[in-house]
Amino acid sequence: MAEPAAPAARPVTAGALRAGVVVASNRAAAGVYEDTTGPLIVAALADLGFEVGPPVVRPDGEAVGAAIAAEVAAGARVVLTTGGTGLTPTDRTPEVTRPLLDREVPGLAEAIRAAGVAKGVSTAALSRGVAGVAGQCLVVNLPGSRGGVKDALAVLAPVLVHAAEQIVGSDH
């Protein structure tokens, strides 16, 4: 069965939390193939009630960091990235994310890796993704595979809205 298309950006509603999605992929950015992980994340965020537009696709490295920073500056309360967390020489997402963070939230990245390993995906332990707070925004690096994204979203879904609200001191 084909995945549904990513929803268009939702109109701003009172109290809506804005989210952004950044895809780190040299080949998708160059038009070699169409990214399929970003739309999965957009759909999941929309299902959680976030206002979210289409994914921003950038080549690995500094362009990804700039895209994350732009989403944070534009008022996103959550930015999820996909790709660039492995061991290849071009995988630089953690390195461009970490300097943007005011503080890390290591439990999220650890839980994402643990969920993959628990499902029998031993290579999930190789993911170097980080998570943390940049200003009033939660930034989380997800793996670049569709399976890794689905596993990560299953970990994040129960806590994402709560985390975004806690960052600004909302009552919990």
Side-chain angles (χ1 to χ4, degrees):
M1 176 171 27
E3 294 286 336
R10 288 184 169 196
V12 177
T13 58
L17 296 174
R18 187 179 169 292
V21 177
V22 178
V23 177
S25 172
N26 289 330
R27 291 176 289 176
V32 173
Y33 64 75
E34 187 174 338
D35 167 64
T36 61
T37 57
L40 283 177
I41 300 169
V42 168
L45 288 167
D47 286 347
L48 290 171
F50 285 91
E51 172 198 340
V52 59
V56 176
V57 180
R58 296 290 182 263
D60 287 301
E62 294 303 323
V64 171
I68 296 167
E71 291 286 352
V72 171
R77 296 282 298 284
V78 170
V79 174
L80 301 182
T81 71
T82 176
T85 63
L87 301 178
T88 71
T90 60
D91 287 334
R92 306 294 297 158
T93 300
E95 287 76 19
V96 299
T97 301
R98 194 170 276 115
L100 302 173
L101 303 178
D102 298 315
R103 55 195 170 162
E104 289 195 35
V105 184
L108 287 177
E110 292 163 5
I112 290 168
R113 284 186 281 274
V117 171
K119 287 186 74 175
V121 183
S122 58
T123 55
L126 299 177
S127 177
R128 300 176 310 107
V130 298
V133 178
Q136 295 186 334
C137 180
L138 178 66
V139 180
V140 184
N141 300 153
L142 279 56
S145 70
R146 287 177 59 82
V149 164
K150 289 177 182 179
D151 291 346
L153 291 170
V155 168
L156 293 175
V159 299
L160 206 52
V161 172
H162 179 68
E165 291 172 344
Q166 266 198 318
I167 289 170
V168 296
S170 296
D171 189 23
H172 59 279

